[in-house]
Structure formats: C-alpha cells, structure tokens
Amino acid sequence: MAEASRARRKKGRPDDGLFDRELDHLPPEARWREWMNRVEASIFAASEPVGRETLARIVGKSCSIDLLIDDIREELRGRPYDLVAVAGGWKHLTRPAYADAIRTAVGASERTVDLTQSEMLVLMCIAYFQPITRAELSSFFGKEISRDLIGNLRSHGFIASGPRAPQPGAPYTYVTTPAFLLEFGLDTLRDLPDREALEDAGLLSKEKLLAGDIMPGFEDAGDNGDYGAIDE
C-alpha cells in the first residue's frame, strides 16, 4: 500500500531530487532565460494565481523571482496581456483596453458577477473592517442584513467565516477571500484605497457608520423584499 501511494505521488509530481532547479551546466544568460520560460509557462498553465512558493520550486535558490517577473513583464510590453500580481500570486490577464474586443469576439466571461449596490456596500465594509459580525454590519446600515445577502456573497466565494467575535454568544465574523482579491484585481488588502485617506475625506468611518451617519439610504439601494432576521 505504501509503495502504491509513493508511486502515485511520483506519477503526479516529479521527484524533487531529479528536477534540476539550479541549471549549473548552463551559462548565466541561458540559465536566466530557462528560468523565465519555466515561470511564464507555469503561470500560463495555471487556472489560479501562482504564488511565490510554487515558483520557487522550479528556479535556482539564488534566483530573484521578483527580478524574473520584471523581465517577463518587460518582454510583454506591447502585448495585449500582462503578468499581474493578484490574490497573493501572479496571473496572465488581458489588458483592459481589449475588453470590448474580447466581449465582441467571445461574449462576456462566465465569471462576470453582477452584485447589487447593497451587496457591494456590505462587501466594502467587510473588506475594510474585517473581521466583522453581521450585527455590526446591521449597525452600520441601520437595517438587518439578511442571510440571503450574506449567502450570496459567500456563494460567489468573496467572503468566508472568520474567527468568532469576543462578544456574548461568540458570533461568527466575516472576512474576504482570495477570490475577492482576484475579482477586483488586488494583490493584497493593502491595495484597497487608503482607508485613512477615505476617513480624512469623510467618506469612510467605522464610528460614523455605527452611528448611522453614512449611507442612510441603504434600504433604498435597489434590493427588493425584507431582509429578515440576523442569524449569528
């Protein structure tokens, strides 16, 4: 049984001891080019962003992945796609200038998500104030947030359950996910518009939200039906 398990692992993934990462037999320029080709091919073949640890398996220990990525991106200048840092890794993405041409040729992407204004506002608050409970979200908007609204954001994979809050009943909190970063073209949450700048401009404040001073018309944001009770 153990032998069969090892055989399956070897079949699915090359033995690390047999894969030549260092390429010491090649001159420096040829070695760098081969590392570039390996990295670009791996990212191109992947359906999700490829992280640094994954790429480190296919290049030498002395190789700077950041410099390698920079060289690949330089070669892609003028091409209709680029290598973009998103969701903690890298992914090939077409440039925005060609969005209309792509839609005309092949139609809208199946991943296109059409969120309501209310869902976008809730998602924004989760992104900035996570981990956050549903009760806190309800305080922000002066209206109870439904299980359906939270469930829809979860079904798209944009949010997930976070740690339980240190409050009576230990309610669940909600946090954003890598799918959220990917959908909105962010590498990390640090790429969100600067929260302090938004607060200085009076556009975002947890205290004002809790006091109901921001977005008082949330209940008229375009959703139909009652929101129901909160399920902690």
Short mmCIF file of all heavy atoms in Angstrom, two decimals, residues 20-46:
data_model
loop_
_atom_site.label_atom_id
_atom_site.label_comp_id
_atom_site.label_asym_id
_atom_site.label_seq_id
_atom_site.Cartn_x
_atom_site.Cartn_y
_atom_site.Cartn_z
N ASP A 20 16.09 19.46 -12.03
CA ASP A 20 17.25 20.35 -11.94
C ASP A 20 16.79 21.80 -11.85
O ASP A 20 16.42 22.41 -12.85
CB ASP A 20 18.15 20.14 -13.16
CG ASP A 20 19.44 20.94 -13.07
OD1 ASP A 20 19.64 21.63 -12.05
OD2 ASP A 20 20.24 20.87 -14.02
N ARG A 21 16.79 22.34 -10.63
CA ARG A 21 16.43 23.74 -10.45
C ARG A 21 17.59 24.68 -10.80
O ARG A 21 17.38 25.75 -11.35
CB ARG A 21 16.02 24.00 -9.00
CG ARG A 21 14.75 23.33 -8.55
CD ARG A 21 14.46 23.77 -7.11
NE ARG A 21 13.20 23.25 -6.63
CZ ARG A 21 13.05 22.05 -6.09
NH1 ARG A 21 14.09 21.24 -5.99
NH2 ARG A 21 11.88 21.65 -5.66
N GLU A 22 18.78 24.26 -10.43
CA GLU A 22 19.92 25.18 -10.48
C GLU A 22 20.45 25.42 -11.89
O GLU A 22 20.90 26.52 -12.20
CB GLU A 22 21.04 24.65 -9.58
CG GLU A 22 20.64 24.45 -8.13
CD GLU A 22 20.19 25.75 -7.47
OE1 GLU A 22 20.66 26.84 -7.89
OE2 GLU A 22 19.37 25.68 -6.54
N LEU A 23 20.41 24.40 -12.75
CA LEU A 23 20.88 24.53 -14.13
C LEU A 23 22.33 25.04 -14.19
O LEU A 23 22.68 25.91 -15.00
CB LEU A 23 19.96 25.46 -14.92
CG LEU A 23 18.48 25.05 -15.00
CD1 LEU A 23 17.68 26.12 -15.74
CD2 LEU A 23 18.34 23.70 -15.68
N ASP A 24 23.16 24.51 -13.31
CA ASP A 24 24.55 24.97 -13.24
C ASP A 24 25.33 24.70 -14.52
O ASP A 24 26.37 25.34 -14.76
CB ASP A 24 25.26 24.30 -12.06
CG ASP A 24 24.74 24.81 -10.72
OD1 ASP A 24 24.30 25.98 -10.69
OD2 ASP A 24 24.78 24.06 -9.74
N HIS A 25 24.87 23.77 -15.34
CA HIS A 25 25.59 23.44 -16.57
C HIS A 25 25.40 24.49 -17.66
O HIS A 25 26.10 24.47 -18.68
CB HIS A 25 25.12 22.09 -17.11
CG HIS A 25 23.68 22.06 -17.49
ND1 HIS A 25 22.65 22.06 -16.56
CD2 HIS A 25 23.08 22.06 -18.72
CE1 HIS A 25 21.49 22.04 -17.19
NE2 HIS A 25 21.72 22.04 -18.50
N LEU A 26 24.44 25.41 -17.46
CA LEU A 26 24.18 26.45 -18.45
C LEU A 26 24.93 27.74 -18.12
O LEU A 26 25.11 28.07 -16.94
CB LEU A 26 22.68 26.75 -18.52
CG LEU A 26 21.75 25.63 -19.00
CD1 LEU A 26 20.31 26.09 -18.95
CD2 LEU A 26 22.13 25.18 -20.41
N PRO A 27 25.30 28.50 -19.13
CA PRO A 27 25.88 29.83 -18.86
C PRO A 27 24.81 30.72 -18.25
O PRO A 27 23.60 30.49 -18.43
CB PRO A 27 26.32 30.32 -20.24
CG PRO A 27 25.54 29.51 -21.21
CD PRO A 27 25.29 28.18 -20.56
N PRO A 28 25.20 31.76 -17.50
CA PRO A 28 24.24 32.60 -16.76
C PRO A 28 23.07 33.11 -17.59
O PRO A 28 21.92 33.06 -17.16
CB PRO A 28 25.11 33.75 -16.23
CG PRO A 28 26.46 33.15 -16.09
CD PRO A 28 26.60 32.19 -17.24
N GLU A 29 23.33 33.60 -18.81
CA GLU A 29 22.25 34.17 -19.62
C GLU A 29 21.24 33.10 -20.03
O GLU A 29 20.02 33.31 -19.96
CB GLU A 29 22.83 34.84 -20.86
CG GLU A 29 21.78 35.57 -21.69
CD GLU A 29 22.40 36.35 -22.83
OE1 GLU A 29 23.63 36.61 -22.79
OE2 GLU A 29 21.66 36.69 -23.78
N ALA A 30 21.74 31.93 -20.42
CA ALA A 30 20.85 30.84 -20.83
C ALA A 30 20.08 30.30 -19.62
O ALA A 30 18.91 29.91 -19.73
CB ALA A 30 21.65 29.72 -21.48
N ARG A 31 20.73 30.28 -18.46
CA ARG A 31 20.07 29.82 -17.24
C ARG A 31 18.90 30.73 -16.88
O ARG A 31 17.80 30.28 -16.57
CB ARG A 31 21.09 29.77 -16.10
CG ARG A 31 20.53 29.23 -14.78
CD ARG A 31 21.56 29.35 -13.67
NE ARG A 31 22.85 28.84 -14.11
CZ ARG A 31 24.01 29.45 -13.90
NH1 ARG A 31 24.05 30.60 -13.26
NH2 ARG A 31 25.13 28.89 -14.32
N TRP A 32 19.15 32.04 -16.93
CA TRP A 32 18.10 33.02 -16.62
C TRP A 32 16.93 32.88 -17.60
O TRP A 32 15.78 32.93 -17.20
CB TRP A 32 18.68 34.43 -16.67
CG TRP A 32 17.77 35.49 -16.15
CD1 TRP A 32 17.01 36.36 -16.88
CD2 TRP A 32 17.51 35.80 -14.78
NE1 TRP A 32 16.30 37.20 -16.05
CE2 TRP A 32 16.58 36.88 -14.76
CE3 TRP A 32 17.97 35.28 -13.56
CZ2 TRP A 32 16.12 37.45 -13.58
CZ3 TRP A 32 17.51 35.85 -12.38
CH2 TRP A 32 16.59 36.91 -12.39
N ARG A 33 17.24 32.69 -18.88
CA ARG A 33 16.20 32.54 -19.87
C ARG A 33 15.35 31.31 -19.61
O ARG A 33 14.13 31.35 -19.72
CB ARG A 33 16.83 32.46 -21.27
CG ARG A 33 15.90 32.01 -22.40
CD ARG A 33 14.65 32.85 -22.51
NE ARG A 33 14.98 34.25 -22.76
CZ ARG A 33 14.06 35.22 -22.82
NH1 ARG A 33 12.77 34.93 -22.64
NH2 ARG A 33 14.42 36.48 -23.04
N GLU A 34 15.99 30.21 -19.23
CA GLU A 34 15.24 28.98 -18.94
C GLU A 34 14.36 29.17 -17.71
O GLU A 34 13.22 28.71 -17.69
CB GLU A 34 16.21 27.82 -18.74
CG GLU A 34 15.53 26.49 -18.36
CD GLU A 34 14.55 25.99 -19.40
OE1 GLU A 34 14.63 26.43 -20.58
OE2 GLU A 34 13.69 25.15 -19.06
N TRP A 35 14.86 29.86 -16.70
CA TRP A 35 14.03 30.13 -15.52
C TRP A 35 12.83 31.00 -15.91
O TRP A 35 11.71 30.76 -15.45
CB TRP A 35 14.86 30.85 -14.45
CG TRP A 35 15.81 29.94 -13.71
CD1 TRP A 35 15.74 28.58 -13.60
CD2 TRP A 35 16.96 30.35 -12.97
NE1 TRP A 35 16.79 28.11 -12.84
CE2 TRP A 35 17.56 29.17 -12.44
CE3 TRP A 35 17.58 31.57 -12.70
CZ2 TRP A 35 18.71 29.18 -11.66
CZ3 TRP A 35 18.73 31.60 -11.92
CH2 TRP A 35 19.28 30.42 -11.40
N MET A 36 13.05 32.00 -16.75
CA MET A 36 11.94 32.84 -17.22
C MET A 36 10.89 32.00 -17.95
O MET A 36 9.68 32.15 -17.71
CB MET A 36 12.46 33.93 -18.16
CG MET A 36 13.21 35.06 -17.48
SD MET A 36 13.91 36.25 -18.67
CE MET A 36 12.42 36.85 -19.48
N ASN A 37 11.36 31.10 -18.82
CA ASN A 37 10.43 30.26 -19.57
C ASN A 37 9.64 29.35 -18.64
O ASN A 37 8.43 29.14 -18.83
CB ASN A 37 11.19 29.42 -20.59
CG ASN A 37 11.74 30.25 -21.74
OD1 ASN A 37 11.29 31.38 -21.96
ND2 ASN A 37 12.71 29.70 -22.45
N ARG A 38 10.30 28.79 -17.64
CA ARG A 38 9.61 27.90 -16.71
C ARG A 38 8.53 28.65 -15.93
O ARG A 38 7.41 28.15 -15.78
CB ARG A 38 10.62 27.31 -15.70
CG ARG A 38 11.56 26.28 -16.28
CD ARG A 38 12.52 25.80 -15.21
NE ARG A 38 13.43 24.76 -15.71
CZ ARG A 38 14.30 24.12 -14.94
NH1 ARG A 38 14.40 24.43 -13.65
NH2 ARG A 38 15.08 23.19 -15.46
N VAL A 39 8.88 29.83 -15.45
CA VAL A 39 7.94 30.61 -14.66
C VAL A 39 6.75 31.04 -15.52
O VAL A 39 5.59 30.90 -15.11
CB VAL A 39 8.64 31.83 -14.04
CG1 VAL A 39 7.61 32.84 -13.52
CG2 VAL A 39 9.55 31.38 -12.90
N GLU A 40 7.02 31.56 -16.70
CA GLU A 40 5.92 32.01 -17.55
C GLU A 40 5.02 30.86 -17.97
O GLU A 40 3.79 30.99 -17.99
CB GLU A 40 6.46 32.73 -18.79
CG GLU A 40 5.34 33.36 -19.61
CD GLU A 40 5.85 34.28 -20.70
OE1 GLU A 40 7.07 34.33 -20.93
OE2 GLU A 40 5.00 34.94 -21.33
N ALA A 41 5.63 29.71 -18.30
CA ALA A 41 4.82 28.55 -18.69
C ALA A 41 3.95 28.07 -17.55
O ALA A 41 2.78 27.71 -17.74
CB ALA A 41 5.74 27.42 -19.16
N SER A 42 4.48 28.05 -16.32
CA SER A 42 3.72 27.58 -15.16
C SER A 42 2.55 28.49 -14.86
O SER A 42 1.45 28.03 -14.56
CB SER A 42 4.64 27.48 -13.93
OG SER A 42 5.67 26.53 -14.15
N ILE A 43 2.77 29.80 -14.96
CA ILE A 43 1.70 30.75 -14.71
C ILE A 43 0.65 30.67 -15.81
O ILE A 43 -0.56 30.71 -15.55
CB ILE A 43 2.26 32.18 -14.60
CG1 ILE A 43 3.16 32.29 -13.35
CG2 ILE A 43 1.14 33.22 -14.52
CD1 ILE A 43 3.91 33.60 -13.24
N PHE A 44 1.10 30.52 -17.05
CA PHE A 44 0.18 30.43 -18.18
C PHE A 44 -0.72 29.20 -18.06
O PHE A 44 -1.91 29.25 -18.40
CB PHE A 44 0.98 30.37 -19.49
CG PHE A 44 0.13 30.34 -20.71
CD1 PHE A 44 -0.36 31.50 -21.28
CD2 PHE A 44 -0.19 29.13 -21.33
CE1 PHE A 44 -1.16 31.48 -22.41
CE2 PHE A 44 -0.98 29.09 -22.46
CZ PHE A 44 -1.48 30.27 -23.01
N ALA A 45 -0.17 28.09 -17.57
CA ALA A 45 -0.92 26.84 -17.50
C ALA A 45 -1.88 26.79 -16.31
O ALA A 45 -2.81 25.97 -16.31
CB ALA A 45 0.04 25.66 -17.43
N ALA A 46 -1.66 27.64 -15.32
CA ALA A 46 -2.46 27.57 -14.09
C ALA A 46 -3.78 28.33 -14.25
O ALA A 46 -3.84 29.37 -14.91
CB ALA A 46 -1.67 28.15 -12.92
#
